[in-house]
Amino acid sequence: MTAPTLTNTPDAVAGPTSADSNADGGRTATLAPSRIRASRLRTGILTVRRAVWSSGAILLFLLLWELGPTYLATDSARVFLPPLHEVLQALGALIANGQLQSHLSASLTRSASGFGIAVVAAVALGLLVAWYRSLDQFLNPLLEVFRNTAALALLPVFTLLLGIGEVSKISIVAYAAFFPVLLNTIAGVRTVDPLLVRAARSLGLSNLELFQKVILPSAVPTIFTGIRMAGTSSILVLIAAEMVGAKAGLGYLIVNSQMSFLIPDMYAGILTVSLLGLLVNYLLVAVERHFSRWRTAVGSQSS
Amino acid sequence: MTVNARPMPKISLRNIGKQFVVRPTKANPQGSILAALDGISLDVAAGEFITLVGPSGSGKTTLLDLLAGLTRPDTGRVLVDGREVTGPGRDRAVVFQQYALFPWRTAASNVAFGLEGTGNDGVKRSRRERTSKAREYLDLVGLSGFEDRYPHELSGGMKQRVAIARSLAYEPDILLMDEPFAALDAQTREQLQEELLRIWRSTGKTILFITHSIEEAVYLGQRVAVLSSRPGRLKQIVDIDLGERAGTGDVRANKAFVEQRHRVWSLLHGEVLKAREAGHAKILPDGSAPDEKRPSSNGKAA
């Protein structure tokens, strides 16, 4: 965004100088392009500097991870906090023998199914609750109770009722992902501009058409914010659930490695979890941006 | 005027009354009933351009809602083409002050909004037909080339042009306009007034135009209906005759214009003062009137 403004200024400066340079030949004429080149270089340097600065904290952290255990930690602490390269080696080994992939796919299958079920159910219920005020009054207290009960507090209940198999994992993920989507769907429908509803009504739209053509499209960005939050929390809860009782999955990998004293493997698992979280969030942000182009475009223009 | 002698006025209001229940608030714990409109009777001929002025709180928007079929009157009848209005319909279109464009739709898609589903003639239009109609009407309001822009990429004046195109596109007979140019800057407003007159002449629509600007009312309307302060009653209807205004001259500087502007002004002036003394304000859609003074404190302040 800053690039055009920076290259514009030398142009403006070059205008008058080349105009009054008729007397002393081409000196100033050659100066103008070189100035532009210099300013391009300057913006290039600026971009690089910004990139270095914004990744600086990460790099510093990785450096600390690599060097800290070797030079700063005591011998006993070094065992529990191996330097980065050992963790990466362990990660490479886990990928090579296919273990990581099988744990990852187990976790992904669970969180994707739970998340999918939650989104479908929560959007449907959210639309109903937002549309029928009496239903909202009836359900709202109960929803508040459930929403404020931490999903993981209910984990024992899920395990007791549904066993330690896939069903209980998928259910707890669905439970955790359900509420952000539900609440955002309700908010999205509630905050539809009443003027738009009036305009659509004045065109004689039926309730169903009004819903389909006005309320739903205008609520989509808000709903997607909820979906993004649900995506993050579904991974979070799943890892915890896998730590408590599972035979596969990233959470299991982490806890199992800890128990078997394979500390680098444990850190490899943690690293995978954080990379997965980043990736999921990035993807959902991209989807959210796609669906709210008409809304976010204002912001991206002015920034 | 020959309007009343004609057998079938396009719009006919017969002794309309409308009341609102004001929700109880902290300042006004009992709540109260406000008469917004009282005994309004008005006939509008087909193809007529009538403007409506009145102090705030005189029920202008209520009157428009009644005509649009968004609300029903408590007393009296609203007739369009001799038939009672029972709900919204595609023979009438509303243009709002705040444009009311759908922000997730492009200009062309906004214009095509009213063309989706079955139209006035009971025919379903194909996507291609809708697109070409949208193009045609965007062209009519001078916005060709802006089909793919989203509302947030358009200026206020352009947004209102799109809104007007959207209202015209499904070919209603009646255009109901609720202070459509009030939010625009003076130059854009004048330009759009000009174009509205051009569109009116070329399409022959019946237009009911609400405004708080006396100038605008006199400039646009063939007749200006002046409403009294709350409860809104029809104070007087002023016939406007500005002579031939085909030329490009400054109509607003005409002697006739100035005189008629002054006539409407004097009719309205007393009502505006009355409304201010009574502290009348808009009744919000949720039934509360936060600025409304309590009946007991009338006259003390203001």
Side-chain angles (χ1 to χ4, degrees):
Chain A
M1 273 277 104
T2 50
T5 46
L6 268 174
T7 46
N8 271 345
T9 22
D11 276 340
V13 173
T17 42
S18 59
D20 58 28
S21 72
N22 284 340
D24 64 2
R27 250 191 59 197
T28 40
T30 50
L31 190 73
S34 78
R35 269 202 206 168
I36 290 169
R37 217 173 304 133
S39 85
R40 278 212 187 112
L41 196 67
R42 219 178 312 141
T43 45
I45 291 168
L46 218 69
T47 322
V48 171
R49 215 161 63 186
R50 196 171 302 157
V52 169
W53 182 244
S54 58
S55 55
I58 290 263
L59 288 174
L60 218 63
F61 171 71
L62 293 178
L63 203 68
L64 189 71
W65 189 358
E66 175 61 33
L67 300 177
T70 322
Y71 298 106
L72 298 174
T74 57
D75 282 350
S76 59
R78 195 172 308 144
V79 177
F80 300 124
L81 189 61
L84 180 61
H85 73 269
E86 276 178 41
V87 173
L88 290 178
Q89 270 166 12
L91 188 68
L94 282 174
I95 292 171
N97 63 25
Q99 266 193 60
L100 190 82
Q101 288 91 318
S102 73
H103 288 304
L104 188 64
S105 82
S107 287
L108 278 181
T109 315
R110 287 167 188 155
S111 54
S113 7
F115 175 70
I117 292 168
V119 168
V120 171
V123 169
L125 184 66
L127 295 179
L128 283 176
V129 166
W131 192 249
Y132 297 105
R133 212 152 262 274
S134 55
L135 186 66
D136 177 41
Q137 281 168 359
F138 177 67
L139 278 181
N140 192 45
L142 184 69
L143 289 176
E144 280 299 312
V145 170
F146 275 107
R147 183 171 74 93
N148 289 303
T149 309
L152 287 174
L154 287 173
L155 186 57
V157 180
F158 278 87
T159 316
L160 284 176
L161 291 179
L162 303 168
I164 59 159
E166 296 304 298
V167 183
S168 70
K169 307 269 175 320
I170 292 173
S171 311
I172 192 111
V173 168
Y175 179 85
F178 182 76
F179 289 99
V181 182
L182 179 76
L183 295 174
N184 275 280
T185 305
I186 295 173
V189 172
R190 287 271 165 77
T191 52
V192 171
D193 187 350
L195 181 65
L196 295 182
V197 175
R198 240 164 77 91
R201 281 240 185 268
S202 77
L203 286 164
L205 257 65
S206 67
N207 271 349
L208 187 69
E209 284 173 310
L210 183 73
F211 206 84
Q212 196 189 338
K213 287 185 175 172
V214 180
I215 290 172
L216 206 52
S218 97
V220 157
T222 320
I223 293 176
F224 262 95
T225 307
I227 288 180
R228 184 164 51 79
M229 287 156 66
T232 316
S233 77
S234 71
I235 290 180
L236 223 74
V237 169
L238 176 72
I239 301 299
E242 284 174 343
M243 284 179 158
V244 175
K247 284 280 154 279
L250 291 171
Y252 167 77
L253 172 68
I254 293 168
V255 165
N256 194 48
S257 308
Q258 185 211 3
M259 303 238 188
S260 338
F261 222 68
L262 298 165
I263 302 303
D265 281 19
M266 179 189 89
Y267 280 103
I270 295 172
L271 203 59
T272 314
V273 168
S274 76
L275 288 177
L276 178 68
L278 272 179
L279 182 74
V280 166
N281 191 54
Y282 177 80
L283 281 178
L284 289 172
V285 166
V287 173
E288 186 186 352
R289 191 166 295 161
H290 173 82
F291 276 103
S292 42
R293 250 174 328 183
W294 53 268
R295 204 167 70 164
T296 52
V298 186
S300 68
Q301 258 180 357
S302 61
S303 70
Chain B
M1 210 59 198
T2 49
V3 173
N4 293 328
R6 280 180 197 167
M8 174 84 75
K10 189 74 190 170
I11 301 171
S12 180
L13 303 174
R14 307 244 173 105
N15 200 25
I16 297 292
K18 177 78 186 171
Q19 298 179 331
F20 281 104
V21 178
V22 177
R23 242 183 14 187
T25 54
K26 264 187 202 145
N28 185 12
Q30 276 89 45
S32 54
I33 292 176
L34 283 179
L37 293 172
D38 183 29
I40 300 235
S41 292
L42 174 70
D43 281 351
V44 181
E48 191 183 348
F49 198 137
I50 186 165
T51 51
L52 203 66
V53 286
S56 64
S58 63
K60 302 187 290 281
T61 301
T62 308
L63 195 61
L64 184 126
D65 278 0
L66 290 171
L67 275 166
L70 293 168
T71 48
R72 303 290 304 276
D74 294 325
T75 57
R77 303 205 301 158
V78 180
L79 304 176
V80 168
D81 286 324
R83 283 187 303 273
E84 184 147 11
V85 169
T86 54
R90 300 209 173 185
D91 53 341
R92 288 151 284 145
V94 186
V95 178
F96 299 93
Q97 181 188 335
Q98 296 301 334
Y99 327 124
L101 296 180
F102 302 108
W104 56 89
R105 285 170 166 250
T106 60
S109 173
N110 258 294
V111 176
F113 188 87
L115 301 169
E116 291 162 12
T118 30
N120 270 348
D121 39 9
V123 183
K124 243 183 146 93
R125 292 170 208 273
S126 71
R127 179 176 284 269
R128 185 177 298 169
E129 277 177 293
R130 294 201 301 258
T131 321
S132 78
K133 259 247 143 44
R135 215 170 264 279
E136 180 190 327
Y137 278 95
L138 276 177
D139 188 43
L140 180 72
V141 298
L143 277 184
S144 340
F146 289 92
E147 287 86 356
D148 297 327
R149 298 292 186 88
Y150 284 94
H152 71 255
E153 299 171 310
L154 301 172
S155 68
M158 289 159 107
K159 279 184 208 166
Q160 196 54 285
R161 284 166 197 260
V162 174
I164 291 171
R166 177 177 66 187
S167 304
L168 291 170
Y170 57 92
E171 289 165 2
D173 296 336
I174 300 170
L175 219 50
L176 305 168
M177 308 184 88
D178 189 1
E179 303 193 9
F181 305 148
L184 304 175
D185 64 84
Q187 277 182 334
T188 313
R189 190 182 313 141
E190 238 176 75
Q191 203 181 346
L192 277 178
Q193 287 168 354
E194 205 73 47
E195 293 202 22
L196 182 63
L197 284 176
R198 175 178 61 79
I199 289 167
W200 170 61
R201 287 196 197 99
S202 67
T203 56
K205 305 278 180 209
T206 309
I207 300 182
L208 185 132
F209 189 106
I210 291 175
T211 175
H212 61 244
S213 153
I214 299 167
E215 287 228 342
E216 188 169 64
V218 174
Y219 181 71
L220 291 174
Q222 293 174 300
R223 292 192 294 160
V224 176
V226 182
L227 288 182
S228 70
S229 64
R230 189 180 298 160
R233 296 196 181 93
L234 201 55
K235 185 160 186 182
Q236 196 169 333
I237 297 179
V238 180
D239 289 317
I240 302 295
D241 185 14
L242 299 176
E244 271 304 306
R245 42 184 195 178
T248 49
D250 184 3
V251 178
R252 292 175 182 82
N254 275 359
K255 203 167 154 250
F257 182 89
V258 174
E259 270 169 16
Q260 288 171 52
R261 199 200 80 90
H262 182 72
R263 245 181 96 199
V264 176
W265 183 87
S266 9
L267 281 169
L268 197 57
H269 189 62
E271 296 301 330
V272 171
L273 287 182
K274 248 187 262 171
R276 195 180 301 157
E277 266 163 37
H280 285 163
K282 269 205 186 326
I283 304 171
L284 301 179
D286 63 358
S288 62
D291 301 333
E292 185 75 23
K293 291 212 186 81
R294 285 208 274 172
S296 58
S297 68
N298 261 1
K300 267 187 201 164

